[in-house]
């Protein structure tokens, strides 16, 4: 009778064995043993259980408790509300991370353009008869050529993305 009442009331409150165990400062296996009727809690623990489950000790020790359908729906609604809140927070965090990534990308691109303007392509005056200098010059020239032709599109996308993901 006690074991069935603990299990029924715990479930009606929407608690898992693990959650109840944490609140009572015992291990989950202890709750399982109580619910299977393999052991019983002592008097002090009965009082703690009644406080956590918000149920009088007499109800725990009395006749079988019938699980009410309204309690189940309320518990499900509360859990769904918590899940919905967690999903909304996750979505807001992802949006914030994407926004700041796009802003940072735009800043890096503008800084890259500024560096290219200040640098003024010094590799054009290098001596290309030396193979090492020639390879380095070709690599730098290729990077600059790709940067100048591709990055404006990336910058435009970053600006548009940052505008679309900003907090409203």
């Amino acid at each position: 009778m006690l074991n069935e009442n603990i299990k029924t009331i715990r479930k009606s409150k929407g608690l898992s064995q693990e959650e109840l165990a944490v609140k009572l400062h015992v291990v989950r296996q202890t709750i399982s043993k109580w619910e299977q009727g393999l052991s019983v809690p002592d008097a002090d623990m009965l009082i703690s259980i009644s406080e956590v489950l918000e149920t009088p000790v007499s109800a725990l020790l009395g006749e079988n408790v019938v699980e009410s359908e309204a309690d189940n729906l309320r518990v499900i609604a509360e859990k769904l509300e918590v899940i919905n809140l967690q999903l909304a927070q996750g979505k807001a965090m992802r949006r914030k991370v994407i926004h700041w990534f796009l802003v940072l990308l735009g800043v890096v691109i503008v800084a890259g353009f500024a560096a290219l303007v200040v640098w003024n392509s010094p590799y054009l005056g290098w001596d290309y008869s030396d193979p090492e200098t020639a390879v380095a010059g070709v690599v730098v020239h290729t990077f600059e050529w790709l940067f100048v032709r591709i990055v404006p599109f990336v910058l435009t996308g970053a600006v548009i993305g940052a505008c679309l993901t900003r907090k409203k």
Side-chain angles (χ1 to χ4, degrees):
M1 191 174 335
L2 172 63
N3 57 339
E4 295 167 2
N5 289 347
I6 292 174
K7 184 175 185 178
T8 303
I9 295 170
R10 173 185 59 79
K11 285 185 175 182
S12 72
K13 298 292 182 180
L15 295 172
S16 67
Q17 286 183 345
E18 183 69 33
E19 292 168 331
L20 180 59
V22 168
K23 290 183 179 198
L24 294 173
H25 306 292
V26 296
V27 295
R28 185 201 57 79
Q29 288 81 359
T30 302
I31 304 296
S32 177
K33 285 182 180 179
W34 292 342
E35 290 181 357
Q36 292 175 15
L38 301 175
S39 68
V40 293
D42 62 11
D44 292 332
M45 188 55 71
L46 270 176
I47 294 171
S48 298
I49 294 170
S50 72
E51 290 171 356
V52 169
L53 296 178
E54 299 171 344
T55 304
V57 175
S58 59
L60 290 172
L61 296 172
E63 295 182 16
N64 290 345
V65 177
V66 178
E67 193 173 342
S68 71
E69 192 66 30
D71 283 344
N72 285 340
L73 292 176
R74 182 183 53 80
V75 168
I76 291 170
E78 288 173 358
K79 286 189 176 191
L80 286 174
E81 182 181 358
V82 168
I83 291 170
N84 191 27
L85 180 61
Q86 290 171 343
L87 289 172
Q89 289 172 340
K91 183 178 178 182
M93 180 57 83
R94 280 189 303 277
R95 182 182 203 129
K96 188 176 183 179
V97 166
I98 290 170
H99 173 77
W100 285 110
F101 171 76
L102 292 172
V103 168
L104 181 63
L105 180 64
V107 168
V108 167
I109 289 171
V110 170
F113 272 117
L116 287 177
V117 168
V118 170
W119 194 24
N120 200 18
S121 304
Y123 62 88
L124 295 176
W126 289 355
D127 177 19
Y128 282 92
S129 62
D130 179 19
E132 291 178 10
T133 309
V135 170
V138 169
V139 169
V140 173
H141 178 69
T142 303
F143 170 75
E144 185 179 76
W145 186 86
L146 287 172
F147 189 84
V148 169
R149 279 154 184 80
I150 294 174
V151 171
F153 296 110
V154 175
L155 178 62
T156 303
V159 169
I160 291 170
C163 290
L164 292 176
T165 58
R166 74 177 187 270
K167 189 174 181 181
K168 297 178 183 180

